[in-house]
Amino acid sequence: MKQNKLFTLFSLTLLSGAPLTSIVQAAIIKQASSVITAVANKDTKNSTKIEAKSSVTDTWGNTPWTFDADSGIVTIASGQLGTYKTSPWNRTDDKKIDGNQIKKIIFTDTTKAPDDCRALFRNLKSLTEIVGLEKLDTSDVTEMSAMFELCISLTSLDLSKLNVSKVNSTVDMFNRCKALTTLNLLGMNTSSLTNMGRMFKGCTSLKSLDFSSFNTSNVTTMQGMFSDTRLTSITLGDKSKFRGTDCKLALFAPDAQNEGRYETGKVMKQGEPQNAFSPLDFFKGYGKISSLTPGTYVAETLPLSWGDAAWSFDDRTGTLTVKSGTLDENAKMSPW
């Protein structure tokens, strides 16, 4: 068939007197055009396939979920969630989504959490926000260990509406959530809690915590609960007592030197500078002596002086300010 077409082409060329090269070029251009069109169509089909994969839909337990790769949003509807091992980012089949691509999780309606919420959102390193967390029904949850561990991009969490009355362990719950600056734990019924070890370890951006509603009467260990944190204040209630002395709580006053003060290493109730305690005495005495009662506690600071001249140092500008007074004759007593 191809040979007949080629013969006809040459015959017409000779009869018409047209240059052979022109007609051959035209034929080549037409053929090339057909190839390009075919390739373009093929690419379009491939593009359609890729686009289709940018949105994944399936179920977690019997709860429908959708992931949009372009926005990094996981949307979770109403239903009963399965275990953390069957979550969209932990499952092992072809519907698994890359946890590092997840930026936001949205709960659209009431969703029942599994009894074991251990590591439920663990290691979602790009997750910055959870919307509608109050819609997560945790009334039957007994385990929340490492629930948000290594969510290093989360900046705020509001757990105040969660029912945690049956939860017995929060070990590593927020471990290494280093961007977390706001954490609302008010109103949580923690009467079943027994283990709070390393709960806030490595939350280096967290400055204050309100524990006033926490009931720690059944807690047996708080080991390393505040390891590697730099809290400036903690608010305690009448049932939020310490268990042991190894929680590693240390309170800081990072702007003290700029304000002409220094940290003594002791803890005091805000507004009551006359009562300051060593961390050990604070842990042992809270709720047991009259001067350690519910309230907000901060680091004790005292005025800086060189001789009797007050001074301050702004580490942002490198400026040392010395006020009037008599300097100490001993050069070793200078600020530097």
Side-chain angles (χ1 to χ4, degrees), residues 40-246:
N41 289 338
K42 185 179 179 181
D43 286 344
T44 302
K45 290 178 182 177
N46 289 340
S47 177
T48 302
K49 287 180 182 178
I50 293 170
E51 186 176 349
K53 288 185 178 180
S54 69
S55 180
V56 183
T57 301
D58 204 56
T59 56
W60 178 8
N62 63 13
T63 305
W65 61 268
T66 301
F67 174 63
D68 180 66
D70 295 330
S71 62
I73 296 176
V74 176
T75 304
I76 300 174
S78 180
Q80 169 71 58
L81 297 181
T83 66
Y84 77 94
K85 291 182 180 179
T86 61
S87 68
W89 45 90
N90 281 321
R91 58 195 293 170
T92 56
D93 58 11
D94 61 350
K95 289 293 184 72
K96 178 180 179 178
I97 57 179
D98 183 359
N100 290 325
Q101 292 185 331
I102 299 172
K103 298 176 182 177
K104 181 188 291 188
I105 295 175
I106 300 174
F107 288 95
T108 61
D109 208 341
T110 302
T111 307
K112 187 76 172 177
D115 297 352
D116 187 350
C117 280
R118 184 181 352 214
L120 197 67
F121 304 105
R122 186 182 186 276
N123 208 32
L124 297 181
K125 293 182 178 178
S126 299
L127 180 67
T128 60
E129 185 180 9
I130 300 178
V131 178
L133 189 60
E134 70 278 0
K135 296 182 174 69
L136 187 63
D137 181 355
T138 56
S139 56
D140 290 326
V141 175
T142 59
E143 177 66 72
M144 285 187 170
S145 297
M147 188 171 177
F148 301 96
E149 185 177 30
L150 285 170
C151 289
I152 60 174
S153 299
L154 265 179
T155 57
S156 66
L157 273 173
D158 185 351
L159 277 65
S160 61
K161 300 295 192 299
L162 295 188
N163 183 340
V164 296
S165 59
K166 295 182 181 179
V167 175
N168 56 62
S169 178
T170 55
V171 176
D172 292 320
M173 188 171 180
F174 307 101
N175 186 12
R176 285 175 283 178
C177 290
K178 62 181 183 179
L180 198 61
T181 56
T182 306
L183 183 60
N184 187 353
L185 304 172
L186 286 175
M188 297 177 72
N189 178 2
T190 60
S191 57
S192 295
L193 265 183
T194 59
N195 193 338
M196 298 174 74
R198 302 184 305 275
M199 187 174 177
F200 305 99
K201 181 180 178 181
C203 291
T204 53
S205 297
L206 198 59
K207 300 306 178 189
S208 62
L209 270 176
D210 192 332
F211 263 22
S212 58
S213 64
F214 263 52
N215 181 347
T216 59
S217 57
N218 290 315
V219 173
T220 58
T221 179
M222 293 180 172
Q223 185 178 24
M225 188 162 92
F226 299 103
S227 294
D228 304 320
T229 63
R230 292 190 60 82
L231 293 178
T232 59
S233 69
I234 185 168
T235 302
L236 303 171
D238 57 352
K239 294 182 179 179
S240 49
K241 297 178 176 62
F242 294 100
R243 298 299 170 191
T245 60
D246 57 358

Side-chain angles (χ1 to χ4, degrees), residues 220-288:
T220 58
T221 179
M222 293 180 172
Q223 185 178 24
M225 188 162 92
F226 299 103
S227 294
D228 304 320
T229 63
R230 292 190 60 82
L231 293 178
T232 59
S233 69
I234 185 168
T235 302
L236 303 171
D238 57 352
K239 294 182 179 179
S240 49
K241 297 178 176 62
F242 294 100
R243 298 299 170 191
T245 60
D246 57 358
C247 67
K248 303 294 184 183
L249 175 65
L251 296 177
F252 298 88
D255 295 324
Q257 201 170 66
N258 188 36
E259 296 168 357
R261 305 184 70 82
Y262 70 96
E263 299 172 1
T264 65
K266 294 183 177 181
V267 177
M268 60 173 244
K269 192 173 184 179
Q270 198 168 49
E272 298 182 9
Q274 69 277 12
N275 293 317
F277 300 84
S278 70
L280 189 61
D281 290 339
F282 175 57
F283 300 144
K284 288 182 176 180
Y286 180 79
K288 296 176 183 177

